[in-house]
C-alpha cells in the first residue's frame, strides 16, 4: 500500500525517470497497515516533500528514496513504532531486486545511489529516524544533509553504511536507542561533518551510543576518513563518542557527561585528535578499563596492539586512560591520580596537569 509511487514500465536509469515533484501539507494516518508507505521515489530529481506521518505500521520505511537526486524531505512522524520491521521514517535504498514484477520500487536494476539529499525530521514515539537500507558494495550515497529533533525513538536517529560527504546541522534527541551510527564496513567513505548534536538519555545503559563511527582494521580495509565532530553535547548513554579504526578524526569542544562507560573512546583510529571540551562524570559502571577520555585498548591482540598518532589539546577530563600509544601528544587537565598510562609508551609527549577536581 503506497500513496505515491512514481513507477512506470519503460526502461529508465540514473535520475532520468521523473523530475519536479512537490508535495506540501497534509497528514497520512497509516493506521498500522503492514508495509504501507507514503512516498516511494525512484530514479528522479528535483523533489520536495513536506508532510506528516502518524500511526506507521510494519514497513521498512515510510518514505523511500532510491536513485533520487536534489531532494528536500521534511517529515514530522509520530507513533510509528514498528516492532518487527526496520520502521525507518526515511530510508535510503539501492535496490538489488532484479525482478521488477515483485519489486514495486525500481526499474531498471542499475544501482544508482542518491545524491544531494536534505532530510529534516521531527519525531516522537517512533522506531528509527533516517536510515540506509540494503547497502551494496561500491555504491555510495553522497552529499547528504540531515537534521532531526526527536523524543522517544527506540533505536537510531541515524544509521548509515555507505555514505560520503555527509553533514548534519541539528541532531537533537532525548530518550533514544542511539544517536548517529556510521557502520562503514563495505567501502572507503569520506568527509563527514557532524555538528549540532545534543543527545541525552540512551535507553540501554549497556548498548546506547551518542555518536559511533565503526569500520574494520587494516590498511586496505573498508573505513571512514576525514571526520569532523564539532561541539557535541552527549548525556547518559553507554558510550558518548566512539571511533573504531578508520582514519582522520577531529573532535572539537565536546561536552560529554554521565555515560555508563567511556565518555570519548579512540579505538585504534589513526590520525585522531580531540581539541578542547569538558569530559566528566562518565564511567558510571566504575570499571578500571574505562574513563572520561580513553585512547587505545590493551585487552586485545595479546596486549600489543598500538594506537598511532593521537593528539589531545586543551581538554578538561576528570579521568584519562591511555593504552599502547605511539607517536602521540596529550595536553590536558585531569583529577589528581586519574591519568593512567598502560602498556607501551613510545615517542609520546605528555603535558597533563593533575588538580584537586
Amino acid at each position: 500500500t503506497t500513496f505515491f509511487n512514481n513507477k512506470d514500465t519503460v526502461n529508465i536509469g540514473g535520475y532520468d525517470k521523473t523530475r519536479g515533484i512537490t508535495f506540501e501539507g497534509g497528514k497520512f494516518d497509516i493506521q498500522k497497515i503492514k508495509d504501507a508507505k507514503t512516498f516511494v521515489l525512484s530514479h528522479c530529481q528535483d523533489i520536495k516533500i513536506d508532510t506528516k506521518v502518524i500511526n506507521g505500521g510494519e514497513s521498512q520505511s515510510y518514505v523511500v528514496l532510491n536513485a533520487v537526486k536534489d531532494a528536500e524531505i521534511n517529515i514530522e512522524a509520530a507513533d510509528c513504532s514498528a516492532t518487527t520491521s526496520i520502521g525507518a521514517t526515511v530510508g535510503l535504498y539501492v535496490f538489488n531486486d532484479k525482478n521488477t514484477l515483485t519489486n514495486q520500487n525500481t526499474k531498471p536494476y542499475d544501482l544508482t545511489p542518491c545524491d544531494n539529499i536534505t532530510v529534516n525530521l521531527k519525531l516522537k514515539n517512533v522506531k528509527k529516524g533516517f536510515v540506509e537500507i540494503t547497502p551494496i558494495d561500491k555504491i555510495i550515497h553522497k552529499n547528504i544533509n540531515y537534521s532531526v529533533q526527536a523524543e522517544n525513538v527506540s533505536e537510531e536517529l541515524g544509521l548509515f553504511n555507505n555514505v560520503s560527504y555527509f553533514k548534519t546541522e541539528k541532531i537533537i534527541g532525548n530518550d533514544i536507542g542511539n544517536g548517529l551510527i556510521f557502520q562503514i564496513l563495505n567501502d572507503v567513505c569520506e568527509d563527514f561533518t557532524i555538528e549540532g548534536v545534543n543527545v541525552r538519555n540512551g535507553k540501554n545503559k549497556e548498548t546506547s551510543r551518542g555518536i559511533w563511527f565503526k569500520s574494520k582494521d587494516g590498511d586496505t580495509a573498508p573505513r571512514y576518513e576525514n571526520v569532523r565532530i564539532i561541539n557535541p553535547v552527549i548525556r547518559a548513554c553507554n558510550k558518548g563518542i566512539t571511533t573504531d579504526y578508520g582514519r582522520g578524526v577531529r573532535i572539537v569542544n565536546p561536552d560529554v557527561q554521565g555515560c555508563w562507560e567511556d565518555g570519548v573512546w579512540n579505538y585504534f583510529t589513526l590520525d585522531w585528535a580531540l581539541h578542547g571540551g569538558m569530559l566528566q562524570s562518565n564511567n558510571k559502571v566504575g570499571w578500571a578499563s574505562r574513563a572520561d577520555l580513553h585512547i587505545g585498548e590493551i585487552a586485545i591482540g595479546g596486549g600489543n596492539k598500538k594506537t598511532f598518532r593521537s593528539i589531545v589539546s586543551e581538554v578538561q577530563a576528570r579521568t584519562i586512560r591511555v593504552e599502547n600509544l605511539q607517536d602521540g601528544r596529550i595536553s590536558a587537565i585531569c583529577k589528581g591520580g586519574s591519568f593512567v598510562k598502560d602498556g607501551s609508551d613510545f615517542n609520546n609527549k605528555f603535558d597533563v596537569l593533575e588538580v584537586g577536581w
Side-chain angles (χ1 to χ4, degrees):
T1 302
T2 303
F3 168 74
F4 182 93
N5 185 344
N6 69 317
K7 179 188 176 187
D8 58 26
T9 58
V10 300
N11 288 323
I12 47 79
Y15 309 110
D16 61 358
K17 183 176 182 179
T18 311
R19 67 176 61 211
I21 299 171
T22 298
F23 186 97
E24 295 185 87
K27 179 172 70 175
F28 293 90
D29 186 346
I30 297 179
Q31 298 182 353
K32 305 297 182 183
I33 298 172
K34 186 175 181 179
D35 294 328
K37 302 174 175 66
T38 58
F39 291 90
V40 176
L41 300 168
S42 182
H43 296 281
C44 55
Q45 59 183 316
D46 301 326
I47 307 298
K48 183 173 182 180
I49 306 294
D50 188 342
T51 191
K52 182 174 183 178
V53 177
I54 64 172
N55 297 320
E58 299 296 322
S59 178
Q60 279 194 308
S61 64
Y62 309 117
V63 178
V64 178
L65 305 177
N66 167 64
V68 173
K69 184 178 182 180
D70 302 332
E72 180 181 342
I73 311 296
N74 302 295
I75 303 292
E76 181 179 350
D79 303 319
C80 297
S81 54
T83 55
T84 59
S85 65
I86 292 175
T89 303
V90 176
L92 285 176
Y93 284 74
V94 178
F95 285 110
N96 60 355
D97 181 1
K98 296 181 181 179
N99 186 350
T100 56
L101 295 176
T102 60
N103 181 2
Q104 66 167 327
N105 303 301
T106 181
K107 181 181 178 68
Y109 170 74
D110 73 347
L111 298 180
T112 303
C114 291
D115 186 4
N116 192 27
I117 307 296
T118 297
V119 173
N120 299 285
L121 302 181
K122 184 177 181 181
L123 309 174
K124 186 173 183 180
N125 305 330
V126 306
K127 187 172 183 181
K128 290 180 186 282
F130 185 24
V131 173
E132 180 186 355
I133 299 172
T134 63
I136 307 297
D137 286 358
K138 311 305 177 186
I139 308 299
I140 300 174
H141 304 288
K142 59 185 179 180
N143 300 312
I144 310 297
N145 298 277
Y146 180 38
S147 293
V148 60
Q149 183 170 342
E151 181 80 22
N152 188 24
V153 175
S154 57
E155 296 185 6
E156 300 87 3
L157 298 182
L159 175 62
F160 306 96
N161 297 84
N162 286 12
V163 296
S164 285
Y165 314 112
F166 186 101
K167 183 177 181 181
T168 66
E169 295 183 3
K170 180 178 69 175
I171 305 294
I172 298 175
N174 180 51
D175 190 18
I176 59 174
N178 293 283
L180 298 176
I181 296 181
F182 298 87
Q183 300 181 124
I184 311 301
L185 305 178
N186 301 298
D187 297 282
V188 175
C189 297
E190 63 177 334
D191 199 344
F192 301 82
T193 302
I194 309 302
E195 296 183 272
V197 173
N198 189 322
V199 296
R200 301 166 182 265
N201 300 316
K203 287 181 176 292
N204 191 318
K205 66 181 182 181
E206 296 179 353
T207 61
S208 60
R209 309 290 180 103
I211 301 172
W212 186 14
F213 276 85
K214 178 182 181 182
S215 65
K216 296 181 179 179
D217 190 15
D219 293 339
T220 60
R223 65 187 182 275
Y224 54 85
E225 295 184 342
N226 303 324
V227 175
R228 296 163 295 277
I229 303 173
I230 302 168
N231 297 329
V233 177
I234 299 172
R235 298 284 189 275
C237 293
N238 170 260
K239 295 181 178 69
I241 301 171
T242 305
T243 62
D244 287 14
Y245 302 109
R247 179 179 180 273
V249 172
R250 296 291 181 271
I251 303 171
V252 179
N253 197 33
D255 179 356
V256 183
Q257 300 181 34
C259 292
W260 292 93
E261 295 187 31
D262 293 312
V264 175
W265 188 12
N266 171 9
Y267 186 82
F268 304 115
T269 303
L270 183 66
D271 297 323
W272 183 96
L274 190 156
H275 301 296
M278 171 75 78
L279 312 173
Q280 63 177 345
S281 303
N282 299 292
N283 190 22
K284 290 166 67 175
V285 294
W287 293 344
S289 60
R290 298 291 178 256
D292 289 309
L293 172 58
H294 184 189
I295 299 174
E297 176 62 63
I298 202 168
I300 191 174
N304 297 314
K305 188 171 180 60
K306 295 179 175 61
T307 299
F308 294 90
R309 300 198 298 270
S310 289
I311 299 173
V312 174
S313 67
E314 306 302 322
V315 173
Q316 292 178 275
R318 188 162 185 151
T319 59
I320 301 174
R321 183 172 183 84
V322 177
E323 302 172 81
N324 285 350
L325 182 63
Q326 181 169 327
D327 305 330
R329 186 165 187 167
I330 310 295
S331 175
I333 293 176
C334 75
K335 182 180 178 181
S338 296
F339 174 60
V340 176
K341 289 189 296 180
D342 201 355
S344 64
D345 172 8
F346 180 77
N347 193 34
N348 298 302
K349 290 187 177 181
F350 298 100
D351 179 14
V352 178
L353 177 63
E354 299 190 14
V355 298
W357 196 314

